[in-house]
Amino acid sequence: MRTDEFLDRVRDRGEYRSQEEAEHITEAVLSVLADRIALEESGELAGLLAAPPDEAPRRETGGPETFDREEFLRRVSAQTGDRPRTAEWDAGAVLSTVADTVPAGQVGHLLEQLPPDWADLFGRATPRRE
């Protein structure tokens, strides 16, 4: 999928006013996600989303940081300048679009690296604990 098609989907799903707003939100969400997942996974995701190299959601070095959903939303909020509740909407718009765009196996790999309470951001049911 081309980047502009991806952003169109994010714009529709997030009900954003413009393509630029959708792009800003997408970059914020994916850059914070890249801090939380394995470097290899981040690179694969960037390739699947066909992001231009200078906009790819990935780190160059180092291991993933460990932070919870609340911190993820706080960091997205800090990048977008919106409240954490708005950041949750934004993250859901972007990450559920990612889940609809990339292969299911890739989404599974992402979710394996994240706490269970992140699944709904990807449009997936939160796994029950046995």
Side-chain angles (χ1 to χ4, degrees):
M1 169 179 291
R2 294 188 340 249
T3 302
D4 60 331
E5 292 173 321
F6 180 83
L7 291 173
D8 284 343
R9 289 184 182 185
V10 170
R11 181 180 177 185
D12 289 345
R13 190 164 288 175
E15 301 176 5
Y16 301 116
R17 293 179 300 269
S18 68
Q19 193 81 350
E20 292 76 24
E21 183 180 15
E23 184 174 5
H24 172 69
I25 298 299
T26 298
E27 289 174 4
V29 170
L30 294 180
S31 71
V32 176
L33 178 65
D35 291 339
R36 182 62 175 78
I37 61 177
L39 188 59
E40 305 80 32
E41 198 76 28
S42 175
E44 287 177 30
L45 182 59
L48 289 169
L49 296 177
D54 60 332
E55 296 175 17
R58 61 179 159 191
R59 292 181 323 283
E60 295 303 319
T61 60
E65 294 181 50
T66 302
F67 51 83
D68 62 11
R69 178 186 171 120
E70 184 178 323
E71 177 63 12
F72 172 74
L73 296 175
R74 190 198 66 71
R75 290 181 185 199
V76 169
S77 175
Q79 286 199 22
T80 62
D82 290 325
R83 297 183 323 237
R85 184 73 177 137
T86 304
E88 185 172 30
W89 174 267
D90 295 339
V94 173
L95 296 177
S96 65
T97 304
V98 166
D100 290 346
T101 304
V102 302
Q106 184 74 25
V107 176
H109 289 292
L110 286 170
L111 290 173
E112 287 171 2
Q113 297 177 58
L114 303 169
D117 65 346
W118 291 45
D120 68 315
L121 296 173
F122 288 84
R124 304 295 193 256
T126 301
R128 287 187 289 192
R129 299 209 187 254
E130 300 286 330

PDB file of all heavy atoms in Angstrom, residues 58-84:
ATOM      1  N   ARG A  58      11.318   3.983  13.030  1.00  0.00           N
ATOM      2  CA  ARG A  58      12.270   3.048  13.620  1.00  0.00           C
ATOM      3  C   ARG A  58      13.424   3.770  14.284  1.00  0.00           C
ATOM      4  O   ARG A  58      13.742   4.898  13.974  1.00  0.00           O
ATOM      5  CB  ARG A  58      12.796   2.085  12.575  1.00  0.00           C
ATOM      6  CG  ARG A  58      13.539   2.779  11.455  1.00  0.00           C
ATOM      7  CD  ARG A  58      14.044   1.778  10.466  1.00  0.00           C
ATOM      8  NE  ARG A  58      14.278   2.482   9.221  1.00  0.00           N
ATOM      9  CZ  ARG A  58      14.523   1.919   8.096  1.00  0.00           C
ATOM     10  NH1 ARG A  58      14.575   0.629   8.016  1.00  0.00           N
ATOM     11  NH2 ARG A  58      14.731   2.622   7.012  1.00  0.00           N
ATOM     12  N   ARG A  59      14.033   3.023  15.207  1.00  0.00           N
ATOM     13  CA  ARG A  59      15.242   3.501  15.871  1.00  0.00           C
ATOM     14  C   ARG A  59      16.437   3.001  15.075  1.00  0.00           C
ATOM     15  O   ARG A  59      16.361   1.994  14.396  1.00  0.00           O
ATOM     16  CB  ARG A  59      15.347   2.894  17.281  1.00  0.00           C
ATOM     17  CG  ARG A  59      14.330   3.343  18.245  1.00  0.00           C
ATOM     18  CD  ARG A  59      14.565   2.698  19.615  1.00  0.00           C
ATOM     19  NE  ARG A  59      15.026   1.324  19.612  1.00  0.00           N
ATOM     20  CZ  ARG A  59      14.265   0.265  19.374  1.00  0.00           C
ATOM     21  NH1 ARG A  59      13.007   0.408  19.076  1.00  0.00           N
ATOM     22  NH2 ARG A  59      14.758  -0.955  19.415  1.00  0.00           N
ATOM     23  N   GLU A  60      17.524   3.675  15.212  1.00  0.00           N
ATOM     24  CA  GLU A  60      18.743   3.236  14.533  1.00  0.00           C
ATOM     25  C   GLU A  60      19.529   2.232  15.377  1.00  0.00           C
ATOM     26  O   GLU A  60      20.162   1.345  14.837  1.00  0.00           O
ATOM     27  CB  GLU A  60      19.627   4.439  14.195  1.00  0.00           C
ATOM     28  CG  GLU A  60      18.992   5.393  13.181  1.00  0.00           C
ATOM     29  CD  GLU A  60      18.619   4.715  11.868  1.00  0.00           C
ATOM     30  OE1 GLU A  60      19.393   3.881  11.364  1.00  0.00           O
ATOM     31  OE2 GLU A  60      17.534   5.014  11.354  1.00  0.00           O
ATOM     32  N   THR A  61      19.501   2.389  16.696  1.00  0.00           N
ATOM     33  CA  THR A  61      20.259   1.498  17.569  1.00  0.00           C
ATOM     34  C   THR A  61      19.515   1.282  18.868  1.00  0.00           C
ATOM     35  O   THR A  61      18.539   1.963  19.168  1.00  0.00           O
ATOM     36  CB  THR A  61      21.644   2.095  17.914  1.00  0.00           C
ATOM     37  OG1 THR A  61      21.447   3.346  18.580  1.00  0.00           O
ATOM     38  CG2 THR A  61      22.489   2.295  16.678  1.00  0.00           C
ATOM     39  N   GLY A  62      20.042   0.355  19.668  1.00  0.00           N
ATOM     40  CA  GLY A  62      19.509   0.142  21.006  1.00  0.00           C
ATOM     41  C   GLY A  62      18.332  -0.804  21.038  1.00  0.00           C
ATOM     42  O   GLY A  62      17.712  -1.095  20.026  1.00  0.00           O
ATOM     43  N   GLY A  63      18.059  -1.268  22.248  1.00  0.00           N
ATOM     44  CA  GLY A  63      16.938  -2.171  22.445  1.00  0.00           C
ATOM     45  C   GLY A  63      15.661  -1.408  22.706  1.00  0.00           C
ATOM     46  O   GLY A  63      15.677  -0.198  22.923  1.00  0.00           O
ATOM     47  N   PRO A  64      14.563  -2.124  22.681  1.00  0.00           N
ATOM     48  CA  PRO A  64      13.284  -1.466  22.939  1.00  0.00           C
ATOM     49  C   PRO A  64      13.187  -0.990  24.379  1.00  0.00           C
ATOM     50  O   PRO A  64      13.736  -1.610  25.293  1.00  0.00           O
ATOM     51  CB  PRO A  64      12.254  -2.553  22.642  1.00  0.00           C
ATOM     52  CG  PRO A  64      12.972  -3.838  22.789  1.00  0.00           C
ATOM     53  CD  PRO A  64      14.400  -3.551  22.437  1.00  0.00           C
ATOM     54  N   GLU A  65      12.504   0.103  24.564  1.00  0.00           N
ATOM     55  CA  GLU A  65      12.221   0.590  25.908  1.00  0.00           C
ATOM     56  C   GLU A  65      11.039  -0.208  26.453  1.00  0.00           C
ATOM     57  O   GLU A  65      10.257  -0.764  25.695  1.00  0.00           O
ATOM     58  CB  GLU A  65      11.856   2.065  25.874  1.00  0.00           C
ATOM     59  CG  GLU A  65      12.984   2.978  25.439  1.00  0.00           C
ATOM     60  CD  GLU A  65      12.559   4.427  25.464  1.00  0.00           C
ATOM     61  OE1 GLU A  65      12.004   4.863  26.492  1.00  0.00           O
ATOM     62  OE2 GLU A  65      12.764   5.106  24.452  1.00  0.00           O
ATOM     63  N   THR A  66      10.938  -0.232  27.755  1.00  0.00           N
ATOM     64  CA  THR A  66       9.806  -0.899  28.389  1.00  0.00           C
ATOM     65  C   THR A  66       8.943   0.169  29.031  1.00  0.00           C
ATOM     66  O   THR A  66       9.366   0.838  29.964  1.00  0.00           O
ATOM     67  CB  THR A  66      10.287  -1.897  29.460  1.00  0.00           C
ATOM     68  OG1 THR A  66      11.142  -2.845  28.831  1.00  0.00           O
ATOM     69  CG2 THR A  66       9.121  -2.613  30.099  1.00  0.00           C
ATOM     70  N   PHE A  67       7.769   0.357  28.464  1.00  0.00           N
ATOM     71  CA  PHE A  67       6.796   1.259  29.085  1.00  0.00           C
ATOM     72  C   PHE A  67       5.394   0.741  28.810  1.00  0.00           C
ATOM     73  O   PHE A  67       5.168  -0.005  27.871  1.00  0.00           O
ATOM     74  CB  PHE A  67       6.966   2.714  28.631  1.00  0.00           C
ATOM     75  CG  PHE A  67       7.038   2.947  27.145  1.00  0.00           C
ATOM     76  CD1 PHE A  67       5.888   3.044  26.372  1.00  0.00           C
ATOM     77  CD2 PHE A  67       8.273   3.102  26.513  1.00  0.00           C
ATOM     78  CE1 PHE A  67       5.963   3.284  25.004  1.00  0.00           C
ATOM     79  CE2 PHE A  67       8.353   3.356  25.149  1.00  0.00           C
ATOM     80  CZ  PHE A  67       7.193   3.439  24.396  1.00  0.00           C
ATOM     81  N   ASP A  68       4.475   1.132  29.682  1.00  0.00           N
ATOM     82  CA  ASP A  68       3.114   0.622  29.595  1.00  0.00           C
ATOM     83  C   ASP A  68       2.255   1.491  28.682  1.00  0.00           C
ATOM     84  O   ASP A  68       2.709   2.475  28.105  1.00  0.00           O
ATOM     85  CB  ASP A  68       2.499   0.498  30.988  1.00  0.00           C
ATOM     86  CG  ASP A  68       2.375   1.831  31.723  1.00  0.00           C
ATOM     87  OD1 ASP A  68       2.562   2.909  31.117  1.00  0.00           O
ATOM     88  OD2 ASP A  68       2.071   1.794  32.928  1.00  0.00           O
ATOM     89  N   ARG A  69       1.014   1.099  28.559  1.00  0.00           N
ATOM     90  CA  ARG A  69       0.065   1.794  27.687  1.00  0.00           C
ATOM     91  C   ARG A  69      -0.098   3.259  28.091  1.00  0.00           C
ATOM     92  O   ARG A  69      -0.130   4.139  27.239  1.00  0.00           O
ATOM     93  CB  ARG A  69      -1.285   1.069  27.753  1.00  0.00           C
ATOM     94  CG  ARG A  69      -2.383   1.705  26.939  1.00  0.00           C
ATOM     95  CD  ARG A  69      -3.701   0.982  27.198  1.00  0.00           C
ATOM     96  NE  ARG A  69      -4.796   1.672  26.604  1.00  0.00           N
ATOM     97  CZ  ARG A  69      -5.596   1.146  25.687  1.00  0.00           C
ATOM     98  NH1 ARG A  69      -5.424  -0.088  25.274  1.00  0.00           N
ATOM     99  NH2 ARG A  69      -6.588   1.844  25.191  1.00  0.00           N
ATOM    100  N   GLU A  70      -0.196   3.500  29.390  1.00  0.00           N
ATOM    101  CA  GLU A  70      -0.356   4.876  29.868  1.00  0.00           C
ATOM    102  C   GLU A  70       0.814   5.757  29.433  1.00  0.00           C
ATOM    103  O   GLU A  70       0.630   6.887  28.985  1.00  0.00           O
ATOM    104  CB  GLU A  70      -0.502   4.872  31.389  1.00  0.00           C
ATOM    105  CG  GLU A  70      -0.769   6.241  31.980  1.00  0.00           C
ATOM    106  CD  GLU A  70      -0.966   6.172  33.479  1.00  0.00           C
ATOM    107  OE1 GLU A  70      -1.559   5.204  33.987  1.00  0.00           O
ATOM    108  OE2 GLU A  70      -0.498   7.114  34.152  1.00  0.00           O
ATOM    109  N   GLU A  71       2.019   5.239  29.561  1.00  0.00           N
ATOM    110  CA  GLU A  71       3.201   6.000  29.146  1.00  0.00           C
ATOM    111  C   GLU A  71       3.233   6.168  27.632  1.00  0.00           C
ATOM    112  O   GLU A  71       3.628   7.223  27.120  1.00  0.00           O
ATOM    113  CB  GLU A  71       4.482   5.317  29.638  1.00  0.00           C
ATOM    114  CG  GLU A  71       5.760   5.996  29.199  1.00  0.00           C
ATOM    115  CD  GLU A  71       5.952   7.424  29.717  1.00  0.00           C
ATOM    116  OE1 GLU A  71       5.207   7.867  30.616  1.00  0.00           O
ATOM    117  OE2 GLU A  71       6.857   8.117  29.208  1.00  0.00           O
ATOM    118  N   PHE A  72       2.831   5.141  26.907  1.00  0.00           N
ATOM    119  CA  PHE A  72       2.747   5.245  25.449  1.00  0.00           C
ATOM    120  C   PHE A  72       1.831   6.403  25.063  1.00  0.00           C
ATOM    121  O   PHE A  72       2.200   7.265  24.252  1.00  0.00           O
ATOM    122  CB  PHE A  72       2.218   3.930  24.867  1.00  0.00           C
ATOM    123  CG  PHE A  72       1.908   3.981  23.402  1.00  0.00           C
ATOM    124  CD1 PHE A  72       2.925   3.997  22.461  1.00  0.00           C
ATOM    125  CD2 PHE A  72       0.598   4.014  22.958  1.00  0.00           C
ATOM    126  CE1 PHE A  72       2.634   4.039  21.096  1.00  0.00           C
ATOM    127  CE2 PHE A  72       0.294   4.052  21.606  1.00  0.00           C
ATOM    128  CZ  PHE A  72       1.323   4.067  20.670  1.00  0.00           C
ATOM    129  N   LEU A  73       0.658   6.444  25.671  1.00  0.00           N
ATOM    130  CA  LEU A  73      -0.299   7.511  25.352  1.00  0.00           C
ATOM    131  C   LEU A  73       0.212   8.877  25.800  1.00  0.00           C
ATOM    132  O   LEU A  73      -0.008   9.883  25.117  1.00  0.00           O
ATOM    133  CB  LEU A  73      -1.662   7.199  25.970  1.00  0.00           C
ATOM    134  CG  LEU A  73      -2.333   5.937  25.428  1.00  0.00           C
ATOM    135  CD1 LEU A  73      -3.622   5.644  26.190  1.00  0.00           C
ATOM    136  CD2 LEU A  73      -2.593   6.039  23.935  1.00  0.00           C
ATOM    137  N   ARG A  74       0.912   8.921  26.927  1.00  0.00           N
ATOM    138  CA  ARG A  74       1.497  10.187  27.380  1.00  0.00           C
ATOM    139  C   ARG A  74       2.521  10.697  26.381  1.00  0.00           C
ATOM    140  O   ARG A  74       2.553  11.875  26.037  1.00  0.00           O
ATOM    141  CB  ARG A  74       2.145  10.021  28.756  1.00  0.00           C
ATOM    142  CG  ARG A  74       2.563  11.369  29.371  1.00  0.00           C
ATOM    143  CD  ARG A  74       3.569  11.213  30.481  1.00  0.00           C
ATOM    144  NE  ARG A  74       4.853  10.699  30.041  1.00  0.00           N
ATOM    145  CZ  ARG A  74       5.748  11.370  29.310  1.00  0.00           C
ATOM    146  NH1 ARG A  74       5.509  12.586  28.913  1.00  0.00           N
ATOM    147  NH2 ARG A  74       6.895  10.812  28.976  1.00  0.00           N
ATOM    148  N   ARG A  75       3.337   9.786  25.854  1.00  0.00           N
ATOM    149  CA  ARG A  75       4.355  10.185  24.880  1.00  0.00           C
ATOM    150  C   ARG A  75       3.735  10.617  23.551  1.00  0.00           C
ATOM    151  O   ARG A  75       4.188  11.584  22.941  1.00  0.00           O
ATOM    152  CB  ARG A  75       5.342   9.045  24.634  1.00  0.00           C
ATOM    153  CG  ARG A  75       6.239   8.766  25.825  1.00  0.00           C
ATOM    154  CD  ARG A  75       7.197   7.652  25.529  1.00  0.00           C
ATOM    155  NE  ARG A  75       7.991   7.293  26.688  1.00  0.00           N
ATOM    156  CZ  ARG A  75       9.134   6.623  26.638  1.00  0.00           C
ATOM    157  NH1 ARG A  75       9.614   6.218  25.466  1.00  0.00           N
ATOM    158  NH2 ARG A  75       9.787   6.352  27.735  1.00  0.00           N
ATOM    159  N   VAL A  76       2.705   9.911  23.113  1.00  0.00           N
ATOM    160  CA  VAL A  76       2.005  10.332  21.896  1.00  0.00           C
ATOM    161  C   VAL A  76       1.398  11.708  22.122  1.00  0.00           C
ATOM    162  O   VAL A  76       1.511  12.600  21.278  1.00  0.00           O
ATOM    163  CB  VAL A  76       0.920   9.302  21.484  1.00  0.00           C
ATOM    164  CG1 VAL A  76       0.025   9.864  20.381  1.00  0.00           C
ATOM    165  CG2 VAL A  76       1.570   7.996  21.032  1.00  0.00           C
ATOM    166  N   SER A  77       0.780  11.898  23.270  1.00  0.00           N
ATOM    167  CA  SER A  77       0.169  13.177  23.628  1.00  0.00           C
ATOM    168  C   SER A  77       1.203  14.307  23.609  1.00  0.00           C
ATOM    169  O   SER A  77       0.933  15.405  23.105  1.00  0.00           O
ATOM    170  CB  SER A  77      -0.462  13.065  25.016  1.00  0.00           C
ATOM    171  OG  SER A  77      -0.967  14.285  25.445  1.00  0.00           O
ATOM    172  N   ALA A  78       2.376  14.040  24.133  1.00  0.00           N
ATOM    173  CA  ALA A  78       3.437  15.047  24.152  1.00  0.00           C
ATOM    174  C   ALA A  78       3.864  15.423  22.732  1.00  0.00           C
ATOM    175  O   ALA A  78       4.148  16.594  22.450  1.00  0.00           O
ATOM    176  CB  ALA A  78       4.640  14.541  24.948  1.00  0.00           C
ATOM    177  N   GLN A  79       3.881  14.463  21.836  1.00  0.00           N
ATOM    178  CA  GLN A  79       4.293  14.752  20.455  1.00  0.00           C
ATOM    179  C   GLN A  79       3.212  15.472  19.654  1.00  0.00           C
ATOM    180  O   GLN A  79       3.516  16.259  18.771  1.00  0.00           O
ATOM    181  CB  GLN A  79       4.694  13.463  19.733  1.00  0.00           C
ATOM    182  CG  GLN A  79       6.027  12.943  20.206  1.00  0.00           C
ATOM    183  CD  GLN A  79       6.634  11.980  19.218  1.00  0.00           C
ATOM    184  OE1 GLN A  79       6.325  11.972  18.032  1.00  0.00           O
ATOM    185  NE2 GLN A  79       7.542  11.154  19.702  1.00  0.00           N
ATOM    186  N   THR A  80       1.959  15.162  19.958  1.00  0.00           N
ATOM    187  CA  THR A  80       0.870  15.778  19.187  1.00  0.00           C
ATOM    188  C   THR A  80       0.362  17.063  19.813  1.00  0.00           C
ATOM    189  O   THR A  80      -0.301  17.860  19.154  1.00  0.00           O
ATOM    190  CB  THR A  80      -0.322  14.811  19.038  1.00  0.00           C
ATOM    191  OG1 THR A  80      -0.844  14.502  20.334  1.00  0.00           O
ATOM    192  CG2 THR A  80       0.085  13.553  18.294  1.00  0.00           C
ATOM    193  N   GLY A  81       0.630  17.248  21.103  1.00  0.00           N
ATOM    194  CA  GLY A  81       0.133  18.425  21.806  1.00  0.00           C
ATOM    195  C   GLY A  81      -1.306  18.274  22.265  1.00  0.00           C
ATOM    196  O   GLY A  81      -1.933  19.243  22.685  1.00  0.00           O
ATOM    197  N   ASP A  82      -1.826  17.045  22.217  1.00  0.00           N
ATOM    198  CA  ASP A  82      -3.198  16.780  22.634  1.00  0.00           C
ATOM    199  C   ASP A  82      -3.228  16.105  24.001  1.00  0.00           C
ATOM    200  O   ASP A  82      -2.204  15.679  24.518  1.00  0.00           O
ATOM    201  CB  ASP A  82      -3.898  15.867  21.615  1.00  0.00           C
ATOM    202  CG  ASP A  82      -4.165  16.570  20.298  1.00  0.00           C
ATOM    203  OD1 ASP A  82      -4.452  17.789  20.318  1.00  0.00           O
ATOM    204  OD2 ASP A  82      -4.083  15.913  19.247  1.00  0.00           O
ATOM    205  N   ARG A  83      -4.431  15.992  24.563  1.00  0.00           N
ATOM    206  CA  ARG A  83      -4.617  15.308  25.843  1.00  0.00           C
ATOM    207  C   ARG A  83      -4.423  13.801  25.672  1.00  0.00           C
ATOM    208  O   ARG A  83      -4.608  13.276  24.574  1.00  0.00           O
ATOM    209  CB  ARG A  83      -6.023  15.581  26.372  1.00  0.00           C
ATOM    210  CG  ARG A  83      -6.291  17.037  26.673  1.00  0.00           C
ATOM    211  CD  ARG A  83      -7.675  17.196  27.264  1.00  0.00           C
ATOM    212  NE  ARG A  83      -8.622  16.270  26.647  1.00  0.00           N
ATOM    213  CZ  ARG A  83      -9.734  16.630  26.039  1.00  0.00           C
ATOM    214  NH1 ARG A  83     -10.065  17.882  25.946  1.00  0.00           N
ATOM    215  NH2 ARG A  83     -10.546  15.717  25.526  1.00  0.00           N
ATOM    216  N   PRO A  84      -4.093  13.093  26.761  1.00  0.00           N
ATOM    217  CA  PRO A  84      -3.928  11.639  26.671  1.00  0.00           C
ATOM    218  C   PRO A  84      -5.169  10.922  26.128  1.00  0.00           C
ATOM    219  O   PRO A  84      -5.047   9.942  25.404  1.00  0.00           O
ATOM    220  CB  PRO A  84      -3.620  11.221  28.104  1.00  0.00           C
ATOM    221  CG  PRO A  84      -2.920  12.419  28.671  1.00  0.00           C
ATOM    222  CD  PRO A  84      -3.647  13.600  28.064  1.00  0.00           C
TER     223      PRO A  84
END
